[in-house]
Amino acid sequence: MKTRQKITAWLAGACLMGALLTGCAGTDAQQDAGSGTVNTGSGEPVVQADKNVQAVASFSLAYNENDGLDPLACTSEENKLLSQLCFERLFLLNENFEPQMELCASVQRNSAKSYTLTIRDEVKFHSGEQLKPSDVVYSLNNARLRDDSTYQEQLSCISSVKYSGSEIYIRLKTAKSEKALEALLDVPIFCKGSEDDEIPDGSGPYKITKSDDGGIHAVPFEQWSGGVIQFCDSITLQPIANSAGAVNLLGTGQLSMLVQRDAEETAASGAKYTKTVGTSRMHYLGINCNDTPLDNKNVRTALSMLMDRDTIAQTCFAGRADAAALPAKKIPDGVKAPSFNQEAAVKLLKKAGIYDRDDDGYLEIRGGSDFKLQIIYNKQYGTKGAVLEQYAKTLNEMGIQTKVIPLEFEECQSRLSRGRYQMYYGEYEMTADLDLSSIISRNGDRNFGDYRSTTMTSALNDLNNATEDEYDTAYQTYLTCFAQETPIIPIVFERRLISAVEDFPKGFDPWPDQIFHGLGSWSATS
């Protein structure tokens, strides 16, 4: 594992950057040169001048002294945010998690397990070095193989990354469609040979430096391929020891912006303006598909239709979540998701032989026994308990006797591993391609409910092997199959909370893995 020191050790030896400005008014040269924007699919930078951009007077962000600024290994929200300023990626994910080219110029599919990539010309690192295929290969191999890399699981499907001349060759262990692979390649790229530096050499719009007064700043990279940054000439970095310190600094007005990931976290006090941005963290109900009557897909789908996701997202998550009836950020045309519909749920249950046979207000399964449900969850999380109480209230009103059981984490895990449950509240950080196979495939390591379906297996295989022309049809088939089978019950996708004391800049349009999306056109609000 690579040793990481505090950023202050690196900064102590950093050279003063010439002509570092203390204000953020923007020089005449910058105003005349124009500004750039993040690439949105063409692979080419946008460098057209934007005369409407007005620089801000000041802007500040936090950096965590107890976490490194290595983009592959940092774990704090503060330092991950800073890495988005300093590093670029082959692809970025838009709000719907659709991959958009950034450093990548082209992708060629040789087979479902073999791809060839090329990168954009005229991209330079902060050191002045030219971006080369060897840098990309080295970055991806570090990301997938280093013990301290946070991208290991995401890139676990890759068996090798090599290059020859201007081409990069990626071979996969398992088949992936082109869109799926592109989504997985939202990995920061750094210059080979800089991996042992406290901050590896990136190609992002800003680089970190130290002023003569000892202040730490992020300053525009003058050779950024996206254009000239007009937004701010010097972003002040405020040192903190932990995320609580960042919340305190925002409350006292010493930070311009703060990002909070966990929906359980309380919004920072003093935040007058907030925005949210999507994540791939899905909340869902797992189902023991060996338990009667949950082994019937009509019963599982009916239970999904009794989940009022929109209300749950707004009340239990205070709007920091997106309702999700299917494991997708955007439902394609032609796919019917199981929306909240009590009447339709009753019909499906009756089709499965479940209805009130003796007019006592409770539903009975075949044989006359009452339909009873128990749902377990980790009692550490109050949001989960609130979701389940609301869901249980609906089920009980429908005649399904439902009990919510809070347990310690260890007891939850024990019951799941032994199959001693009916339903459980799960939370899953999906990889960027939104792959759910670990939960719904036969040998998935999170398939606690022993779900098995040849139809679903076929749909997954067709999706993974789909060509670019076949992908949309294969994706619709997969989601339609999921809606009919309901191997699990999706609830919501969490959203990151972005807080600010002052209004967000004009043009602020954050993406999941790039909060600074469109930075080249950001402008002061007054």
Side-chain angles (χ1 to χ4, degrees), residues 137-270:
V137 170
Y138 196 77
S139 297
L140 292 180
N141 281 330
N142 269 265
R144 72 187 185 89
L145 298 174
R146 253 176 44 190
D147 290 340
D148 62 344
S149 170
T150 59
Y151 293 89
Q152 270 195 328
E153 181 179 358
Q154 179 164 318
L155 301 181
S156 62
C157 64
I158 296 178
S159 61
S160 68
V161 186
K162 300 178 181 180
Y163 76 96
S164 178
S166 62
E167 295 184 325
I168 299 166
Y169 305 103
I170 298 180
R171 291 197 62 82
L172 306 176
K173 300 173 186 175
T174 56
K176 289 284 183 183
S177 67
E178 184 176 318
K179 283 190 177 181
L181 176 62
E182 290 174 354
L184 294 175
L185 296 179
D186 66 330
V187 177
I189 303 300
F190 57 85
C191 184
K192 182 180 179 181
S194 70
E195 63 275 6
D196 290 327
D197 297 343
E198 180 64 24
I199 304 177
D201 194 11
S203 62
Y206 277 79
K207 59 181 179 180
I208 295 176
T209 188
K210 184 180 180 182
S211 64
D212 55 359
D213 63 359
I216 304 166
H217 306 270
V219 298
F221 176 39
E222 295 178 355
Q223 300 181 74
W224 181 48
S225 62
V228 176
I229 297 297
Q230 297 170 275
F231 172 65
C232 186
D233 287 333
S234 179
I235 297 175
T236 301
L237 304 186
Q238 300 282 7
I240 59 166
N242 49 48
S243 294
V247 172
N248 292 335
L249 285 180
L250 185 79
T252 59
Q254 297 179 68
L255 287 186
S256 298
M257 189 167 68
L258 172 70
V259 178
Q260 293 174 283
R261 175 60 183 270
D262 197 331
E264 292 279 339
E265 290 182 276
T266 303
S269 62

Side-chain angles (χ1 to χ4, degrees), residues 273-521:
Y273 301 90
T274 60
K275 260 185 180 292
T276 61
V277 64
T279 76
S280 60
R281 184 185 293 183
M282 185 180 72
H283 292 238
Y284 68 97
L285 292 183
I287 303 171
N288 188 339
C289 295
N290 287 323
D291 188 88
T292 303
L294 301 178
D295 55 352
N296 187 310
K297 65 181 181 181
N298 288 325
V299 175
R300 300 194 297 265
T301 301
L303 292 174
S304 181
M305 288 180 170
L306 293 174
M307 175 74 71
D308 187 356
R309 298 171 176 87
D310 290 328
T311 299
I312 285 171
Q314 292 303 315
T315 56
C316 302
F317 289 89
R320 293 166 63 176
D322 293 318
L326 294 174
K329 303 296 289 189
K330 182 180 179 181
I331 308 300
D333 294 337
V335 177
K336 186 176 181 181
S339 59
F340 182 55
N341 190 326
Q342 293 172 300
E343 183 179 347
V346 168
K347 291 180 179 179
L348 278 178
L349 288 172
K350 193 164 186 178
K351 186 176 181 181
I354 300 176
Y355 56 94
D356 186 1
R357 289 175 164 81
D358 53 11
D359 294 325
D360 64 350
Y362 297 109
L363 303 186
E364 291 88 30
I365 62 177
R366 295 184 189 277
S369 300
D370 289 343
F371 184 12
K372 296 182 178 181
L373 277 179
Q374 290 187 352
I375 311 175
I376 64 174
Y377 77 101
N378 183 351
K379 69 178 184 180
Q380 177 182 349
Y381 299 102
T383 300
K384 294 180 179 180
V387 170
L388 291 180
E389 290 298 337
Q390 182 169 317
Y391 182 52
K393 183 176 184 294
T394 300
L395 295 183
N396 281 310
E397 289 173 351
M398 296 296 296
I400 301 171
Q401 300 178 56
T402 306
K403 184 177 182 180
V404 175
I405 304 176
L407 299 171
E408 297 289 348
F409 172 77
E410 293 78 9
E411 178 63 18
C412 277
Q413 292 299 107
S414 175
R415 289 206 185 189
L416 292 180
S417 64
R418 293 179 292 158
R420 293 186 58 193
Y421 69 95
Q422 287 180 292
M423 300 176 74
Y424 70 93
Y425 192 122
E427 189 177 320
Y428 183 45
E429 185 78 41
M430 300 169 73
T431 50
D433 60 341
L434 304 182
D435 182 7
L436 202 61
S437 57
S438 66
I439 295 180
I440 64 175
S441 63
R442 180 171 180 177
N443 298 315
D445 57 2
R446 294 177 62 93
N447 186 3
F448 305 118
D450 196 29
Y451 169 73
R452 303 183 184 194
S453 167
T454 55
T455 304
M456 182 62 76
T457 298
S458 177
L460 281 171
N461 288 339
D462 289 347
L463 179 63
N464 289 331
N465 285 280
T467 64
E468 186 174 4
D469 292 338
E470 298 168 339
Y471 181 82
D472 288 345
T473 299
Y475 191 53
Q476 289 184 22
T477 300
Y478 158 66
L479 290 180
T480 298
C481 181
F482 188 98
Q484 294 170 347
E485 290 277 331
T486 316
I488 62 172
I489 299 176
I491 306 172
V492 297
F493 280 103
E494 275 191 35
R495 295 184 70 85
R496 280 188 181 92
L497 179 67
I498 309 172
S499 303
V501 176
E502 302 294 335
D503 199 359
F504 292 104
K506 291 180 181 178
F508 185 64
D509 181 26
W511 280 1
D513 59 355
Q514 182 48 281
I515 302 300
F516 303 100
H517 166 239
L519 179 65
S521 61

